[in-house]
Amino acid sequence: MPGIYVMAILTIAFTTLLCIAALNQWTRADRRYFWLILAGLPLSLVVNRFVKTPLVTFVAASAGIPLKLGPDVAFWFIVLIWMNAPIFEEAIKVLPMALPASRVFLRDELQALGAGLALGMGFGLGEAAYLAYGLAQSPAYSKIPWYLFTGFASERLIVTFGHGLMTSLAVLGLSRGGRKSLLGYLTAVGLHALINLGPILLALKLLPATLASAASYAVILGAFALFQKNLRSARKSSGTLPKEIVYFER
């Protein structure tokens, strides 16, 4: 078995436990959200195999452009590759909310945040499996021992939570309805684009690896702060915001 599969199994198992623990904390142990994790699992495979890859391959073949980022590649094609994932991934992650059984989560903002969090986490877990399969097909990675894929493990753990945070904002917009639905989606797309900007600049040799990773993780921290702000607001509106504890008085 290729080493990446071993690390992927360990990473997905550990990340799943953390996702469940986080959902229990943020949704007050409401187990309905666990089914949404399952709904998100296959979405990475679907969007990559049937949307993202065919689109970029078709455009590259039509324009006679090699499928490889570099300083000599046309600027418009770089933008296409950069925005491909944010636009289509953020759209497919909220697609399960169109199902009648899922619409109950759109009744209030608190449920919407939890639903988006679960869907995004499921997508992230599925994406980890999809990427591991892709790496295993490359001879350059197939012989590497599993314990050397620590970078894959740490990145997938953080990115899985990042997917959850972004999707929570998109589903929150759906619960608000009207123009706010589009605003929520565009917010998720914008955050996703900023997260992917570091790897794009790295591929173009405009940014070193350490700074590229740091920039992406900083955006995820920003997404977490935005999620926490909306969560507090939703709990306040629903009357479930915990009261502040006073430990001493003067």
Side-chain angles (χ1 to χ4, degrees), residues 47-132:
V47 75
N48 277 285
R49 284 291 181 90
F50 301 108
V51 182
K52 290 169 54 185
T53 301
L55 173 64
V56 173
T57 302
F58 173 77
V59 172
S62 300
I65 298 175
L67 281 171
K68 185 177 181 180
L69 280 177
D72 298 328
V73 176
F75 178 74
W76 66 265
F77 189 70
I78 294 174
V79 173
L80 173 65
I81 293 179
W82 174 37
M83 296 303 297
N84 190 26
I87 290 173
F88 293 112
E89 289 185 4
E90 294 309 321
I92 199 170
K93 283 192 288 180
V94 299
L95 192 58
M97 298 310 298
L99 298 173
S102 300
R103 292 175 188 171
V104 64
F105 295 104
L106 299 178
R107 292 177 179 174
D108 64 66
E109 295 184 359
L110 200 56
Q111 291 188 87
L113 284 169
L117 199 66
L119 282 173
M121 287 173 170
F123 182 93
L125 293 170
E127 185 177 62
Y130 180 79
L131 291 176

Side-chain angles (χ1 to χ4, degrees), residues 90 94 112-117 162-176 180-189 191 222-231:
E90 294 309 321
V94 299
L113 284 169
L117 199 66
H163 275 301
L165 296 169
M166 292 182 290
T167 310
S168 71
L169 300 176
V171 178
L172 176 63
L174 288 177
S175 73
R176 291 172 172 172
K180 292 183 178 180
S181 295
L182 178 60
L183 179 60
Y185 168 71
L186 292 178
T187 300
V189 169
L191 288 169
F224 177 71
L226 190 56
F227 169 81
Q228 286 287 81
K229 178 182 177 181
N230 282 291
L231 180 64

Side-chain angles (χ1 to χ4, degrees), residues 135-144 149:
L135 290 173
Q137 308 313 303
S138 172
Y141 292 102
S142 60
K143 302 297 182 182
I144 298 177
F149 287 102

